[in-house]
Amino acid sequence: MYQATLSRRSYRFNDLRQLLAKASPARSGDYLAEVAADSAEERMAARIVLADVPLKTFLQQLLVPYEHDEVTRLIVDSHDALAFAPISHLTVGDFRDWLLSEQADSAMLARVAAGITPEMAAAVSKLMRNQDLILVAKKCRVITRFRNTLGLPGRLSVRLQPNHPTDSLQGIAASMLDGLLYGCGDAVVGINPASDSLPLLEKLNYMLDDVIQRFAIPTQSCVLTHVTNTLRLMERGVPVDLVFQSIAGTEAANQGFGINLALLAEAQQAALSLNRGTLGNNVMYFETGQGSCLSSNAHHGVDQQTCEARAYAVARHFSPLLINTVVGFIGPEYLYDGKQIIRAGLEDHFCGKLLGLPLGCDVCYTNHAEADQDDMDTLLTLLATAGLTFLIGVPGADDIMLNYQSTSFHDALYIRELLGLKHAPEFADWLTKMQITDERGQLRDTAANHPLLLALQGERR
């Protein structure tokens, strides 16, 4: 039992799970789950109490039972006590102050990352203003490699997302060309297929591999189908770079996705055996989003932001090249408006980076949310300032297959110019070699006889 008194009123919180939920910033998903604070005063009372909770408590009081949940078992069994030692004496409030101090520099944050549990990260985020989330995340350095190097300071990568509502190879190729000529695609060229047909998935993988190999593009491809489909493709000898899967923060929610930890481990080993990376062996690509546990009724009474942080424990176990919070995609039932989406995006990025993950963000919203592109401009700018690993590049910011609003190739140009951010180094060299950018990294005018344009014309014929 936890309690506090404010304005002569006593507030009681039955356990750590309820305390975390009541301390969360207001969001529609927690109201839907009936775990949110009833008032701003109750929320503040919960935060006052939470600030005095020792970090060690999160190793003793588990939010989801150990014996019933493999994600909990993963968190507990993989906890690094040696990495935790420098911060083990702190309370949640002390942890916030330490994270904001000069003592917590990039090297120190990297050393303690394995000792921080998702619940600790979620708890401290609830005590932080947006500027705190930005400042600490900026100090976290997470570098991964496959065919290029992602996450270096002063760099921002883009996932080129050339989706098509009928999986037209010509339509996908046109969008991919468009993105490459805008300098996008260094994070990954990733297609969300409309169909799960294995023959079609094969064609998509072969097409992506052909373009990457033909033009010696230092990037990687991914067809974002279910992990079981990717396993079948690899068994058939299809050229697979990255294994994709949506993941969540509880065993039951992952069962809703049709996965478990053993299946992810099998897929990771299969991808590693292909040995397709030239610079590194980070072969996994995960996507997450606040509300996924609640949407499958698998949240165990835990608030949606803490559930999201628990998904990062799953990702961390498999050393991904990329992990992406699709922050506004699930809908207004979970994040109602632009204010809630902005806060959630900053929380997710902070928690992921603090746990040692190469976190990117699909800065996005659905058309029935109380949000617009101005909100996305704000979130994009804040995240890039905070050291975002990658963002999404969609033609015109409008994904015509998934039917939601994201960020465009032009948005990537804006944020690079604003903050002086560069591409992944190997990709930047390729852009210059292909005369897509000049020596300063600025886009050139593309001639009609550019090799990429000629290749597309050949595909159409």
Side-chain angles (χ1 to χ4, degrees):
M1 175 75 72
Y2 300 90
Q3 64 181 47
T5 300
L6 285 181
S7 303
R8 300 182 181 179
R9 180 174 177 179
S10 180
Y11 292 93
R12 296 184 178 183
F13 311 99
N14 295 328
D15 53 26
L16 190 58
R17 178 172 53 190
Q18 186 180 64
L19 179 64
L20 286 168
K22 298 291 187 179
S24 289
R27 63 203 60 201
S28 52
D30 287 339
Y31 287 114
L32 181 63
E34 299 181 340
V35 300
D38 293 329
S39 66
E41 186 173 281
E42 183 183 31
R43 184 173 298 111
M44 184 54 65
R47 290 175 180 173
I48 290 171
V49 175
L50 180 61
D52 290 332
V53 174
L55 291 181
K56 291 180 179 178
T57 304
F58 294 95
L59 300 174
Q60 302 157 357
Q61 299 181 27
L62 305 179
L63 305 187
V64 183
Y66 181 93
E67 60 274 14
H68 297 153
D69 187 90
E70 69 173 0
V71 177
T72 298
R73 293 194 291 274
L74 175 65
I75 292 168
V76 173
D77 296 346
S78 63
H79 182 253
D80 189 330
L82 186 61
F84 181 57
I87 58 173
S88 61
H89 62 290
L90 300 177
T91 65
V92 177
D94 294 333
F95 188 35
R96 172 191 175 272
D97 294 342
W98 181 83
L99 287 170
L100 292 167
S101 72
E102 293 183 1
Q103 180 184 355
D105 58 15
S106 297
M108 176 59 78
L109 289 172
R111 285 198 292 272
V112 302
I116 301 171
T117 69
E119 292 85 355
M120 294 175 193
V124 74
S125 76
K126 299 176 193 300
L127 305 184
M128 302 177 91
R129 295 170 56 183
N130 285 0
Q131 65 176 242
D132 300 338
L133 299 173
I134 293 167
L135 184 60
V136 176
K138 179 73 171 180
K139 296 192 288 185
C140 296
R141 299 275 182 258
V142 184
I143 298 171
T144 58
R145 294 178 175 88
F146 189 76
R147 291 199 188 99
N148 57 21
T149 307
L150 304 176
L152 292 169
R155 308 273 177 171
L156 176 66
S157 296
V158 178
R159 170 192 161 185
L160 174 47
Q161 184 169 300
N163 296 341
H164 193 278
T166 64
D167 290 328
S168 163
L169 296 184
Q170 287 187 352
I172 290 170
S175 293
M176 183 164 58
L177 169 68
D178 191 23
L180 289 170
L181 291 178
Y182 274 107
C184 295
D186 47 347
V188 63
V189 181
I191 300 170
N192 296 92
S195 168
D196 278 334
S197 160
L198 278 182
L200 172 67
L201 298 176
E202 278 196 26
K203 290 180 181 178
L204 292 174
N205 272 283
Y206 276 112
M207 182 193 74
L208 291 174
D209 184 62
D210 176 65
V211 173
I212 288 173
Q213 299 301 330
R214 193 190 325 176
F215 294 100
I217 308 174
T219 190
Q220 38 282 328
S221 66
C222 185
V223 176
L224 281 70
T225 186
H226 194 270
V227 63
T228 53
N229 289 331
T230 305
L231 274 167
R232 294 169 69 185
L233 292 171
M234 288 189 285
E235 290 168 357
R236 295 164 70 155
V238 175
V240 171
D241 287 346
L242 304 183
V243 174
F244 166 80
Q245 183 54 50
S246 295
I247 57 173
T250 68
E251 179 179 347
N254 283 325
Q255 286 175 347
F257 285 137
I259 63 167
N260 55 38
L261 298 180
L263 180 62
L264 294 177
E266 179 186 355
Q268 182 188 35
Q269 290 305 310
L272 287 171
S273 72
L274 300 179
N275 198 31
R276 292 178 57 80
T278 55
L279 295 183
N281 59 1
N282 299 112
V283 297
M284 305 298 282
Y285 174 20
F286 296 118
E287 287 192 345
T288 66
Q290 287 195 28
S292 58
C293 290
L294 176 58
S295 67
S296 58
N297 194 29
H299 59 98
H300 299 276
V302 179
D303 68 272
Q304 68 179 37
Q305 189 254 332
T306 302
C307 283
E308 170 73 4
R310 283 170 55 92
Y312 301 156
V314 176
R316 180 166 64 176
H317 184 63
F318 295 102
S319 303
L321 180 76
L322 306 165
I323 173 171
N324 179 34
T325 170
V326 194
V327 66
F329 182 74
I330 301 182
E333 300 86 352
Y334 306 96
L335 295 169
Y336 178 72
D337 57 14
K339 181 179 177 65
Q340 291 187 13
I341 292 171
I342 290 168
R343 174 68 190 191
L346 294 176
E347 289 170 346
D348 294 351
H349 181 250
F350 162 83
C351 288
K353 284 293 187 63
L354 193 61
L355 293 170
L357 286 168
L359 208 93
C361 184
D362 190 344
V363 177
C364 64
Y365 65 100
T366 56
N367 290 318
H368 61 310
E370 290 295 321
D372 58 28
Q373 210 64 41
D374 286 338
D375 295 315
M376 300 305 102
D377 288 348
T378 299
L379 179 54
L380 170 61
T381 305
L382 294 175
L383 284 171
T385 303
L388 185 70
T389 302
F390 73 101
L391 69 149
I392 304 297
V394 177
D398 182 9
D399 192 303
I400 57 176
M401 195 284 283
L402 292 174
N403 196 27
Y404 78 117
Q405 308 304 311
S406 184
T407 44
S408 70
F409 307 144
H410 298 80
D411 292 327
L413 294 178
Y414 145 73
I415 202 65
R416 289 190 196 284
E417 181 175 350
L418 177 70
L419 299 178
L421 299 171
K422 300 179 181 179
H423 305 83
E426 301 84 359
F427 193 81
D429 291 344
W430 178 83
L431 290 173
T432 303
K433 178 182 176 182
M434 293 294 291
Q435 298 188 358
I436 295 173
T437 60
D438 60 23
E439 292 75 10
R440 299 171 300 163
Q442 302 296 312
L443 283 181
R444 293 176 179 268
D445 291 333
T446 305
N449 63 348
H450 192 280
L452 288 171
L453 287 169
L454 294 176
L456 177 63
Q457 293 171 7
E459 291 288 338
R460 285 178 173 171
R461 285 195 291 269

